[in-house]
Amino acid sequence: VEPISPLPLGADVTLTLDEDLRGKEGNLPMGEPWSLFYETYGDFVLDTTSCYSTPYGGCSPTGGFHLEFSNPVKWRDAIAHMRITPAVELPAEPLWAEVDQSATIFVSVELRPDTTYSVEVDAELRDVFGQTLSGNRHGSFKIGSFAPMANLDFSGTVLEA
């Protein structure tokens, strides 16, 4: 099945096959109509910039952050078109970066506690459909403190006062 003209962006589409449709083999019709509902991809935008929040006043300094796009993008392309302030050393490219595509891009980096980060993605980034990024290209997130912890170096089962 091929559309007569290009389908519009972000449209709800219903493909319905008539009950009289006959297969290539055999002469029996389908008997009842069959429908498939789907949505075409829309404009390519940055939906959110976020991280995993903790109870210590923001996101975890060890949790990294993620970008949510409206359409899938390759990880390698997203990292290449991203600027983070204050500057962060981006992770080494994972082996799957060339072929992996997702609308959610996870960036696993160590971040400074009690710091607000700003992320900008330049308009040259393209989704897997070839569209350039439009709309808002900026996001920010706040990193909180490290979780409190204590390590006591002792052996045995009794800790004397």
Side-chain angles (χ1 to χ4, degrees):
V1 176
E2 191 171 315
I4 298 170
S5 61
L7 298 173
L9 294 177
D12 290 328
V13 177
T14 303
L15 171 66
T16 302
L17 303 178
D18 191 84
E19 70 259 10
D20 295 328
L21 179 69
R22 296 175 190 275
K24 284 178 124 177
E25 297 180 14
N27 61 358
L28 294 177
M30 286 183 42
E32 59 185 59
W34 179 83
S35 294
L36 172 69
F37 305 96
Y38 63 96
E39 183 179 327
T40 61
Y41 63 86
D43 291 330
F44 180 39
V45 296
L46 174 61
D47 289 328
T48 59
T49 305
S50 188
C51 51
Y52 298 108
S53 60
T54 69
Y56 306 106
C59 297
S60 169
T62 59
F65 63 96
H66 59 274
L67 306 175
E68 295 276 345
F69 293 99
S70 58
N71 297 333
V73 62
K74 290 186 177 183
W75 189 91
R76 172 186 286 166
D77 295 345
I79 294 297
H81 292 278
M82 183 187 313
R83 286 184 296 288
I84 305 167
T85 308
V88 171
E89 185 176 337
L90 294 173
E93 185 175 289
L95 297 174
W96 45 262
E98 178 57 33
V99 294
D100 192 57
Q101 61 189 33
S102 176
T104 303
I105 301 298
F106 293 95
V107 183
S108 181
V109 292
E110 294 277 332
L111 300 165
R112 281 189 273 174
D114 300 313
T115 303
T116 297
Y117 285 88
S118 175
V119 177
E120 180 180 1
V121 182
D122 69 52
E124 303 306 312
L125 178 62
R126 292 185 178 274
D127 65 12
V128 298
F129 307 111
Q131 300 181 103
T132 54
L133 192 60
S134 62
N136 179 34
R137 298 179 291 109
H138 304 272
S140 64
F141 52 91
K142 167 96 172 76
I143 301 300
S145 299
F146 283 106
M149 67 187 294
N151 290 323
L152 302 175
D153 189 19
F154 73 95
S155 61
T157 57
V158 177
L159 178 62
E160 295 184 28

